[in-house]
Amino acid sequence: MKKPQVFVTRKLTDEVIAMLETVASVEQWTEEYPIPRELLLDRVEHVDAVLTMLTERVDEELLTKAKNLRIVANMAVGYDNIDLAACKRHGVVVTNTPDVLTEATADLAFALLMATGRRVTEANRFLLNGEWTSWSPMLLAGQNVYGATLGIIGMGRIGEAVARRARGFGMRILYHNRNRKHQAEEETGALLVGLETLLQESDYVVLLTPLTDETRLLMGDREFSLMKETSVFINVSRGGTVDEAALYRALVEKKIWAAGLDVFQIEPVPPDNPLLSLPNVVALPHIGSATLQTRVEMAKLAAANIVAVLSEKEPLSAL
Ligand code: GLV
Ligand code: GLV
């Protein structure tokens, strides 16, 4: 029997490729930029499995082309780049990489929260620009983190991990979620509230929902206007959950105090995105789960899912 074929859309470690080679022959896109769409459609034509990143769109067109495809293993916890319904129709298994990135992503969410509240990147630019000529009492004064109220929108695994960190900072924790999280409430004292209450009462609003039809443009003019003038907005979910023009207005009109963004509507974010021109915006290039250790774990989990499916076993993290 012919060995199954796997296509990997980015360069991964030798260890991960070796895992895949135990059951398949492997082809890889090794450039530092995403594979162009036409090439991707070409490469997947005869493969049994594809290991994708969030930069690859898996849709009806691709699935129609990839007639032998059995599994799409996405190396991300989010999967808004994949048309799940179409995969189902084509009998293609879809897997993501939950759990292994939870703590690293929560660390980054908290780092961004602190950097934004305490103006860390602005202060760094100030110093590097040679502007530190004297000390003054209110110089680069930020907002308290310790003891502040944190509002988490989307209490999944990452939200819970952020709440655990917040507890160490003596924060009051509110959350908004479709269902109640009893264990998280017990562990962190988090309180389930409606979205309006969360927006009105939180000093830090952290957005962690996946991007779905329900959460697309969840944060708009109305939502930002409910927030406190001293509040900080943090997005570590997907750019599509936020109306960026509304966020820009809220920041310029001082309806909110600052924003920390790891994700954008268009990624890589165009340098002329007006949000990047504001001193009270901390912008990061979608690095939520980017630690050396976590990225290796994510790649291994994606590969293990492919190995399982190609060996007629249950995948570890099917959607
Ligand atoms: C990254 O954004 C992920 O979904 O893993
Ligand atoms: C979502 O899957 C999360 O881990 O928060």
Side-chain angles (χ1 to χ4, degrees):
M1 217 175 85
K2 198 164 155 280
K3 241 189 169 183
Q5 291 180 43
V6 180
F7 184 64
V8 180
T9 65
R10 286 298 175 94
K11 185 163 171 52
L12 297 178
T13 62
D14 292 345
E15 191 188 0
V16 171
I17 299 304
M19 276 174 75
L20 293 168
E21 282 174 342
T22 60
V23 297
S25 58
V26 181
E27 257 204 77
Q28 234 182 325
W29 176 255
T30 53
E31 303 296 338
E32 281 303 320
Y33 55 90
I35 180 167
R37 177 76 179 171
E38 286 311 312
L39 272 179
L40 174 66
L41 291 178
D42 211 52
R43 296 290 173 87
V44 296
E45 198 167 347
H46 300 293
V47 303
D48 302 86
V50 61
L51 196 160
T52 51
M53 310 294 137
L54 46 83
T55 40
E56 279 78 54
R57 200 170 74 250
V58 177
D59 56 8
E60 185 61 41
E61 182 190 27
L62 183 144
L63 293 160
T64 305
K65 197 110 201 218
K67 290 191 178 51
N68 299 339
L69 195 61
R70 293 163 63 191
I71 170 172
V72 175
N74 206 40
M75 194 179 128
V77 69
Y79 44 87
D80 47 285
N81 56 313
I82 296 173
D83 183 341
L84 283 191
C87 287
K88 200 164 177 197
R89 280 197 302 277
H90 286 265
V92 172
V93 174
V94 180
T95 62
N96 67 342
T97 58
D99 302 319
V100 291
L101 51 58
T102 298
E103 301 296 337
T105 307
D107 282 344
L108 191 279
F110 222 84
L112 188 53
L113 181 158
M114 296 192 76
T116 311
R118 295 301 305 272
R119 305 170 66 174
V120 170
T121 54
E122 187 187 352
N124 181 243
R125 279 195 301 270
F126 175 87
L127 183 150
L128 296 178
N129 287 341
E131 292 171 61
W132 188 20
T133 51
S134 74
W135 186 91
S136 75
M138 290 303 177
L139 176 65
L140 290 161
Q143 300 288 344
N144 275 347
V145 176
Y146 180 82
T149 296
L150 170 67
I152 299 172
I153 303 176
M155 195 65 142
R157 286 160 287 221
I158 300 168
E160 291 184 26
V162 169
R164 285 195 299 275
R165 284 157 180 73
R167 210 175 158 225
F169 283 78
M171 295 176 101
R172 171 177 175 240
I173 305 163
L174 307 177
Y175 74 98
H176 179 67
N177 201 55
R178 267 185 303 195
N179 46 315
R180 194 158 170 197
K181 294 299 185 89
H182 294 278
Q183 205 195 318
E185 289 185 10
E186 267 167 47
E187 222 183 308
T188 65
L191 199 66
L192 179 65
V193 294
L195 183 59
E196 277 200 13
T197 304
L198 183 145
L199 295 169
Q200 284 165 340
E201 294 191 12
S202 298
D203 299 304
Y204 292 87
V205 172
V206 178
L207 192 55
L208 276 163
T209 54
L211 177 61
T212 64
D213 287 339
E214 267 170 79
T215 63
R216 197 173 303 281
L217 302 181
L218 176 71
M219 293 297 297
D221 284 310
R222 182 177 163 275
E223 288 68 29
F224 289 119
S225 68
L226 288 170
M227 289 173 62
K228 298 186 198 183
E229 286 174 10
T230 50
S231 67
V232 172
F233 175 70
I234 303 294
N235 190 7
V236 269
S237 66
R238 285 290 182 271
T241 55
V242 174
D243 177 344
E244 287 184 351
L247 174 58
Y248 180 79
R249 282 191 290 275
L251 287 162
V252 169
E253 292 164 17
K254 309 240 183 287
K255 290 201 172 111
I256 69 172
W257 195 74
L261 308 170
D262 187 41
V263 288
F264 295 86
Q265 285 270 0
I266 300 170
E267 295 182 7
V269 63
D272 63 353
N273 182 320
L275 285 167
L276 303 184
S277 69
L278 301 178
N280 52 346
V281 168
V282 178
L284 299 177
H286 202 147
I287 56 167
S289 61
T291 70
L292 295 169
Q293 297 84 353
T294 297
R295 284 289 158 85
V296 169
E297 289 309 311
M298 289 164 68
K300 281 189 190 165
L301 177 53
N305 277 314
I306 289 177
V307 171
V309 167
L310 295 185
S311 321
E312 316 295 338
K313 296 198 186 97
E314 281 299 312
L316 290 91
S317 50
L319 288 165

